[in-house]
Amino acid sequence: MTSSCALLCLRCRSFLCSKTGATTWQYTTQVRHCTTVTSVATKIPNGFSFFRGNHRTNQARQRWKQQMLSYSDLTARNLATEAKEDKFTEELSRTDVVAYKSPLLPIRDAVSLKEIQMPLDLDAAAEFSALEEISDEEAVSISVPVAIPPASTSLGDYVDKSETLSKLVQLGVNLWKLEQRPNAGSMLLKLDFNKDVAPRLLFLKEIGVEDSRFGYIITHNPFILTESLENLQTRVNYLKSKKFSSETVASMVSRAPYLLNFSVKRLDNRLGFYQQHLNLGASNTRNIVARLPRLLCSSLEPVKENLKVCELEFGFKENEIQHIVIAIPKVLTANKRKLTQIFDFVHNTMKLPHHLITKFPQVLNTKYLRVKERHLFLEYLGKAQYDPALPNYISLDRLVSLPDETFCTDLALATLEDFYLFQKTL
């Protein structure tokens, strides 16, 4: 196909050259005609004709000069055109398979088509046609690159395209919870798993966090993946310097994912707050913080409010509040309305004094409906007696902690069906 194109171009060149030669011959004929006219005019014998002949000769000379200038311009253009065509023919002949030889000249050193061939076959590089049939094996082997959606309201659209998200899902991270967090999804898409995520997971494993807790930690605190390893290690070292054991630190981090996101200064201020406001020693302070590590992460306003409620509204003394907090640290972060509702029922309806509630503070950490239903059932049976000094004493601890079946058989001495029937009357 390439040889045919080269031959066609050369034929066009021969045609152009022949056309140019014809044009040149036409201008040459006109110049000769002008010269003949001039010579005829100069042969008139009389004087009048001589002067008129001289005048015509001058005009003919001027016309001849103009014709010669036109002929010179045309010849220069033709020469320039031939030079360009010769250069193009030379370049084309270099890329052709067989060198072109003019049919008017003798062919020397002719070379056959089979002897000289270019190593690059242009036709072989052509792509398959869209209408060409292919086999099933070729169709299955065709891979179409998938593009990441430019915008989406769900991280699920990016799981198949993002290595970080796919591996986080394998770790147990709940992406639907992260979608509700502002800027969390875009932050995760920008992370590289090997450079950003894997080093943090290895750090958590080194301090004692179990692999099964990785999904819970990242689900609740994905921004731990953006903390520097140096800061994370500094905060762990601070907790250990306060005599928290390595096992305790690992347990605190597992249950309070935001713990390592806070600076050392903030952690130190929180520990000092609980030690001063509750008048606790260092050992008791470590005890309540280790059992409820979110005390170091959550806001201090609910804690301050609950301490005032226990002192001013409930009427507990300072040492009673200390005993309740050491036994049930959740009292500090409990909902104020629920805490007030339970205390009002236990103290005013069940007639339990402060010292008995302080002795069994678990009653303040139970569900209001459970305490109410069981007390009313015992009162219906005539067994609601909670004073340890009197017979048929019912322990408040067992009242709120036992399951329904054990409560009926051991404390109420009734059947579970009777208790369910009584609940329907409430």
Side-chain angles (χ1 to χ4, degrees), residues 10 55 86 91 105 173 228 259 269 288 321 338 365 408:
L10 292 174
H55 178 68
D86 291 338
E91 292 177 355
L105 299 177
V173 178
S228 66
L259 181 62
N269 291 337
I288 64 172
I321 295 176
K338 294 181 179 179
N365 191 39
C408 293

Side-chain angles (χ1 to χ4, degrees), residues 33-45:
H33 176 71
C34 293
T35 306
T36 304
V37 171
T38 305
S39 61
V40 170
T42 55
K43 293 180 181 180
I44 300 176

Side-chain angles (χ1 to χ4, degrees), residues 253-316:
V253 173
S254 300
R255 291 180 289 124
Y258 271 99
L259 181 62
L260 296 182
N261 279 56
F262 296 124
S263 63
V264 171
K265 182 178 180 180
R266 179 169 181 174
L267 295 176
D268 188 70
N269 291 337
R270 292 299 176 88
L271 291 174
F273 170 82
Y274 293 113
Q275 188 172 4
Q276 294 176 4
H277 282 73
L278 297 175
N279 292 326
L280 300 175
S283 178
N284 288 330
T285 304
R286 286 195 299 270
N287 182 23
I288 64 172
V289 170
R291 293 165 58 191
L292 192 66
R294 71 167 181 262
L295 290 174
L296 299 178
C297 306
S298 59
S299 175
L300 294 177
E301 294 304 321
V303 176
K304 295 179 181 179
E305 189 174 6
N306 286 347
L307 289 175
K308 291 182 179 179
V309 168
C310 291
E311 181 181 2
L312 301 179
E313 296 186 17
F314 297 168
F316 289 106

Side-chain angles (χ1 to χ4, degrees), residues 136-307:
D136 296 340
E137 291 76 8
E138 294 177 343
V140 173
S141 63
I142 296 177
S143 60
V144 180
V146 292
I148 296 180
S152 177
T153 58
S154 175
L155 288 175
D157 298 335
Y158 299 91
V159 173
D160 295 336
K161 294 89 177 175
S162 173
E163 179 186 6
T164 301
L165 291 182
S166 61
K167 291 187 176 181
L168 289 179
V169 170
Q170 297 175 6
L171 291 173
V173 178
N174 294 326
L175 297 182
W176 66 270
K177 290 185 177 180
L178 296 178
E179 293 172 359
Q180 304 172 7
R181 307 282 299 275
N183 303 324
S186 58
M187 181 270 296
L188 290 176
L189 289 174
K190 297 177 182 178
L191 296 180
D192 182 84
F193 185 83
N194 296 326
K195 295 181 180 180
D196 303 322
V197 181
R200 275 75 181 174
L201 297 180
L202 291 176
F203 172 81
L204 294 176
K205 187 175 181 64
E206 289 176 356
I207 65 175
V209 178
E210 298 180 358
D211 299 350
S212 58
R213 301 295 296 177
F214 289 165
Y216 174 84
I217 293 174
I218 298 176
T219 299
H220 291 81
N221 178 25
F223 301 101
I224 194 175
L225 301 176
T226 60
E227 290 287 338
S228 66
L229 296 176
E230 183 180 358
N231 290 338
L232 295 176
Q233 187 63 53
T234 301
R235 292 155 192 173
V236 171
N237 294 338
Y238 168 78
L239 293 175
K240 291 182 178 180
S241 68
K242 294 300 180 180
K243 298 183 180 180
F244 289 96
S245 63
S246 299
E247 294 76 11
T248 303
V249 172
S251 176
M252 293 170 63
V253 173
S254 300
R255 291 180 289 124
Y258 271 99
L259 181 62
L260 296 182
N261 279 56
F262 296 124
S263 63
V264 171
K265 182 178 180 180
R266 179 169 181 174
L267 295 176
D268 188 70
N269 291 337
R270 292 299 176 88
L271 291 174
F273 170 82
Y274 293 113
Q275 188 172 4
Q276 294 176 4
H277 282 73
L278 297 175
N279 292 326
L280 300 175
S283 178
N284 288 330
T285 304
R286 286 195 299 270
N287 182 23
I288 64 172
V289 170
R291 293 165 58 191
L292 192 66
R294 71 167 181 262
L295 290 174
L296 299 178
C297 306
S298 59
S299 175
L300 294 177
E301 294 304 321
V303 176
K304 295 179 181 179
E305 189 174 6
N306 286 347
L307 289 175

Side-chain angles (χ1 to χ4, degrees), residues 37-67:
V37 171
T38 305
S39 61
V40 170
T42 55
K43 293 180 181 180
I44 300 176
N46 54 44
F48 177 78
S49 298
F50 177 78
F51 289 105
R52 186 170 56 181
N54 290 338
H55 178 68
R56 291 181 178 178
T57 301
N58 292 334
Q59 291 180 353
R61 288 179 180 177
Q62 291 179 0
R63 293 179 182 176
W64 181 80
K65 289 181 180 180
Q66 292 178 358
Q67 295 291 340

Side-chain angles (χ1 to χ4, degrees), residues 101 105-111:
K101 298 295 182 177
L105 299 177
I107 300 177
R108 297 179 180 179
D109 301 332
V111 184

